[in-house]
Amino acid sequence: MINKKLHLSVWQFVLASVFVTFSMLQSAAQDLDTSDGEPAMPVEAEAAPEEDTIGDAAAGEKLFKSNCASCHKLYKRATGPALFEVTKRREREWLYKWIKNSAALIASGDAQANEIYNEYGQSNMNAFPNLTNTDIDNILAYTNTPKPVAQVLGPEAQAELAPVDTTMTNNIVLGALALVLVVLIVVLFAVNKTLKRFAEANGIQTEFEDEEAETRTPIWQAFIQNQFLVLVSAVFLLLASAYFAYGALMAVGVDQGYAPVQPIHYSHRIHAGVSQIECKYCHSSVRESKHAGIPSLNVCMNCHKQIAEVANETYQEGINEYGVDYNKEIQKLYAAVGWDEETQSYSGEEEPVRWVRIHNLPDLAYFNHAQHVQAGNIACQTCHGQVQEMEIMYQYSPLTMGWCINCHRETNVDLQGNGYYEEIHKELSEKRGGRQLTIADLGGLECGKCHY
Amino acid sequence: SNRSSQYFPNMYEDVGYSTYSEGDVFPGNVEAQKPVEGTVSRGWMPYDYNDDNEGYASAKANLKNPVPLTEEHLTNGQVLYNLYCAICHGKNGNGVGHLVETEKILGVPSYDARPLTEGSIYHVLYYGINTMGSYASQTSIEERWEITHYVEALRADLLKEER
């Protein structure tokens, strides 16, 4: 008993000493910080905790997001430095001057200002003369918000969230049902057997025991003997085999539903669907060129300079529903363009992404995107399906010649506001009694139009 | 799923090099090779201002819009603006596009918050600025000037509302 007590006190002592050393270390680190930031003014160390309470962080968050967030992040370097606890590194008066007009401060020859200016590649920070000192205090209060602890979900918590859970329970229920079914069948057989045995023992003739069974012809013999039935089924078999053979032949060279694995898991669902980015934003050459080009990686970087990680719920969705770590896919993009997140600069080591082309026409056919999209005013979804809902891109239309021609027969030419068609529209619509012109009417079915 | 089978694909595969194809003869195996530095193709003129602070200031002061302000150019500008710019800058240029609303991209200023000239708008479209990227690859020279017209129109609207 005494021994145990002693043991406990030893543990307590150890814990206490660990705690003491820890807190000492921490205070030492704090001392270092302040002396590092403000070597000339040791008073700052006492003023710092007071300053933290100045300003309204909630109002500051709003201001920060509308004015500063394009170049600054709190905990990470962006175009400008990370701003977390900037009040501990710089004087408040200096910050006022800097934020209101950094260029003037640099021009005045301020040593700190010039140091920062040169460190961040001489990129000019915009002047914000419209911000008052209280506004800036609010923003600075917001920059002191400590980093939220990332929610790392344990496997149990994830299982709770995940739809996997429901499928799991579904499987269990189905399994139980199957088991019950099997048991029922076994029981029925057993009952049947015992009943029969009873009947036999008691000498009861059951109707199932047919005495004439042997004299009856087997069913397949009866079938062969009935020539009409044979004929009908032969015709049916021939028709069915013709149907399937024709279907198989017609599927040759049709790649509908083709969805290869791409080198980067690019989700049209997120970009075109959730984020509502216009199709032509990335596939910009569709307006002018025969090719609706795959966007080059500079287009990716237009946005992904700022978006290095997806939102938390998007990330969870990717893991749970598609089994994809979206953040890793963004890292693949950075590797391809040679973007260094730490220094926010390009390293110059580039490697083109080898996308797999899904929509392939034989080289003997000429198809021009611009004339369909720009002149014809056809929506992208007409031919490519609801791309904004596709997690992985697949070929929606068959892209066969029959598919092309069918559309050329049914679609009216968009004649409005197109000076090129004025003459022919007038002439032909009189002749045809005002009927709309289809593309076939204008020669859209001629061989040379698509096959030279 | 895989591609379906083909029956005697005589003229299916390209003999020549097609756009975006790969080819062993090219450096980096990429068909799309860059033109030689300093060459000028017909119908295109190089942009004279540098991508730095002096270039920006100079373009802001000196660069003028060669595209006349007509109804057609303005509507073209609107269409292009809604394609490329509105996603962040908002349909009316107030800096609240869909990506800003959903907090994917932050800190997009309203057009009335800064002094802008047609030269500075074009310059930023051409090179990008800070976090904004260049839109030179997605638009032509004329299209960028059309967008500039429309941005100026939006800015005028915003300033009138505010003041």
Side-chain angles (χ1 to χ4, degrees):
Chain A
M1 199 64 200
I2 297 162
N3 220 352
K4 207 171 181 185
K5 246 185 186 168
L6 206 105
H7 200 71
L8 209 86
S9 65
V10 165
W11 264 113
Q12 274 174 333
F13 177 74
V14 168
L15 269 178
S17 58
V18 163
F19 181 77
V20 166
T21 44
F22 230 84
S23 53
M24 268 167 76
L25 269 176
Q26 243 177 356
S27 64
Q30 242 168 21
D31 282 350
L32 255 175
D33 235 14
T34 44
S35 66
D36 204 0
E38 301 298 332
M41 298 182 80
V43 197
E44 187 74 11
E46 285 145 41
E50 235 174 80
E51 273 192 16
D52 279 353
T53 55
I54 299 178
D56 175 10
E61 180 173 2
K62 224 173 165 189
L63 284 166
F64 181 87
K65 283 184 174 166
S66 61
N67 291 302
C68 321
S70 60
C71 297
H72 291 285
K73 290 183 177 172
L74 282 194
Y75 318 107
K76 245 186 190 177
R77 176 181 171 147
T79 309
L83 291 184
F84 180 54
E85 294 195 327
V86 67
T87 45
K88 292 195 178 159
R89 299 195 296 269
R90 310 274 172 203
E91 290 163 54
R92 201 162 273 264
E93 280 306 315
W94 184 89
L95 282 170
Y96 288 153
K97 275 192 228 160
W98 171 265
I99 293 167
K100 282 179 181 165
N101 195 345
S102 63
L105 196 60
I106 292 162
S108 74
D110 186 277
Q112 285 187 40
N114 275 296
E115 189 193 320
I116 292 185
Y117 184 58
N118 291 324
E119 189 186 337
Y120 285 87
Q122 305 209 332
S123 49
N124 265 346
M125 176 164 148
N126 282 310
F128 293 95
N130 50 338
L131 290 180
T132 61
N133 281 2
T134 28
D135 283 340
I136 295 174
D137 283 336
N138 290 343
I139 293 173
L140 292 176
Y142 173 66
T143 62
N144 284 332
T145 355
K147 190 171 187 171
V149 182
Q151 279 190 328
V152 182
L153 293 176
E156 311 88 40
Q158 260 182 359
E160 253 171 56
L161 276 177
V164 179
D165 193 32
T166 58
T167 56
M168 276 276 277
T169 49
N170 275 354
N171 281 348
I172 289 171
V173 167
L174 279 177
L177 279 177
L179 205 79
V180 168
L181 212 74
V182 167
V183 167
L184 267 178
I185 288 170
V186 167
V187 166
L188 275 175
F189 265 103
V191 166
N192 193 17
K193 218 174 165 188
T194 45
L195 276 178
K196 263 188 186 170
R197 233 191 294 148
F198 262 114
E200 245 170 65
N202 296 342
I204 299 168
Q205 187 77 281
T206 55
E207 52 184 310
F208 305 110
E209 282 177 49
D210 208 333
E211 282 174 344
E212 296 155 46
E214 274 164 36
T215 56
R216 220 191 235 178
T217 49
I219 193 152
W220 62 273
Q221 261 179 3
F223 177 76
I224 287 174
Q225 280 161 9
N226 188 338
Q227 293 204 333
F228 175 72
L229 258 184
V230 171
L231 189 71
V232 165
S233 45
V235 167
F236 177 78
L237 271 178
L238 275 175
L239 282 175
S241 53
Y243 173 82
F244 285 113
Y246 184 75
L249 288 178
M250 289 312 282
V252 168
V254 178
D255 295 323
Q256 210 165 2
Y258 175 45
V261 177
Q262 302 285 357
I264 294 179
H265 181 99
Y266 175 83
S267 168
H268 277 93
R269 178 185 65 85
I270 292 176
H271 290 87
V274 178
S275 293
Q276 298 174 16
I277 298 170
E278 294 280 347
C279 307
K280 293 171 194 169
Y281 183 97
C282 302
H283 301 282
S284 56
S285 62
V286 77
R287 297 184 288 113
E288 310 185 307
S289 167
K290 164 182 191 293
H291 298 279
I294 291 174
S296 50
L297 296 179
N298 70 314
V299 179
C300 304
M301 292 307 287
N302 276 355
C303 299
H304 281 286
K305 251 188 200 175
Q306 249 199 7
I307 307 172
E309 281 164 358
V310 296
N312 221 352
E313 57 269 33
T314 317
Y315 180 79
Q316 285 300 334
E317 197 184 14
I319 296 281
N320 294 336
E321 280 179 41
Y322 306 103
V324 181
D325 185 340
Y326 286 134
N327 290 342
K328 272 191 188 151
E329 303 299 315
I330 297 179
Q331 290 305 318
K332 283 189 201 169
L333 163 69
Y334 287 165
V337 290
W339 174 254
D340 187 345
E341 245 193 291
E342 287 303 308
T343 61
Q344 294 281 315
S345 61
Y346 292 101
S347 67
E349 285 168 31
E350 296 169 353
E351 177 64 31
V353 179
R354 286 164 207 279
W355 299 108
V356 182
R357 187 176 171 163
I358 296 169
H359 298 82
N360 289 287
L361 280 189
D363 197 31
L364 51 89
Y366 171 85
F367 175 81
N368 189 327
H369 269 100
Q371 103 191 63
H372 284 85
V373 171
Q374 203 74 345
N377 255 334
I378 295 170
C380 307
Q381 284 83 351
T382 316
C383 302
H384 293 291
Q386 301 295 320
V387 177
Q388 72 275 18
E389 288 159 15
M390 297 182 189
E391 176 67 15
I392 297 172
M393 188 66 196
Y394 63 85
Q395 183 175 326
Y396 169 79
S397 301
L399 301 188
T400 54
M401 187 164 146
W403 175 79
C404 292
I405 285 181
N406 194 36
C407 193
H408 277 193
R409 285 207 176 110
E410 288 172 350
T411 313
N412 291 325
V413 184
D414 188 9
L415 301 160
Q416 289 307 311
N418 195 335
Y420 182 80
Y421 288 120
E422 250 166 43
E423 197 93 325
I424 194 163
H425 181 219
K426 232 170 104 189
E427 206 172 290
L428 280 176
S429 65
E430 276 169 20
K431 212 188 265 179
R432 288 159 192 264
R435 186 167 68 84
Q436 283 271 303
L437 295 178
T438 62
I439 300 151
D441 290 334
L442 297 180
L445 301 186
E446 286 162 14
C447 308
K449 287 272 159 66
C450 305
H451 299 296
Y452 307 100
Chain B
S1 61
N2 287 324
R3 292 194 68 187
S4 97
S5 52
Q6 293 176 342
Y7 180 71
F8 281 87
N10 291 339
M11 286 165 69
Y12 280 27
E13 296 306 320
D14 315 3
V15 179
Y17 292 106
S18 57
T19 317
Y20 301 124
S21 66
E22 293 181 36
D24 297 335
V25 292
F26 302 111
N29 216 13
V30 175
E31 182 268 346
Q33 293 292 310
K34 281 183 190 151
V36 178
E37 195 86 8
T39 51
V40 176
S41 60
R42 280 197 197 185
W44 178 82
M45 285 299 281
Y47 184 60
D48 283 337
Y49 298 86
N50 290 332
D51 184 15
D52 51 28
N53 292 328
E54 288 101 76
Y56 177 80
S58 168
K60 192 169 188 169
N62 307 322
L63 189 58
K64 289 282 168 279
N65 196 337
V67 174
L69 178 57
T70 62
E71 195 67 29
E72 196 196 342
H73 284 311
L74 200 62
T75 32
N76 271 351
Q78 178 174 14
V79 170
L80 291 164
Y81 177 88
N82 287 339
L83 277 182
Y84 296 115
C85 318
I87 188 74
C88 293
H89 288 279
K91 292 254 183 216
N92 54 2
N94 59 358
V96 190
H98 185 259
L99 288 181
V100 177
E101 267 171 17
T102 52
E103 299 204 342
K104 308 284 179 216
I105 282 180
L106 290 170
V108 180
S110 172
Y111 286 137
D112 57 353
R114 312 259 162 88
L116 302 176
T117 67
E118 50 188 20
S120 73
I121 297 169
Y122 184 88
H123 186 88
V124 168
L125 267 172
Y126 191 87
Y127 285 123
I129 190 165
N130 293 339
T131 329
M132 178 176 153
S134 161
Y135 283 77
S137 70
Q138 283 136 294
T139 50
S140 70
I141 297 175
E142 197 190 22
E143 285 170 348
R144 282 192 291 280
W145 283 120
E146 285 171 345
I147 294 174
T148 306
H149 273 315
Y150 187 67
V151 168
E152 284 192 299
L154 286 179
R155 183 172 142 78
D157 283 353
L158 282 171
L159 286 173
K160 247 176 256 157
E161 277 170 19
E162 299 293 313
R163 281 176 192 175

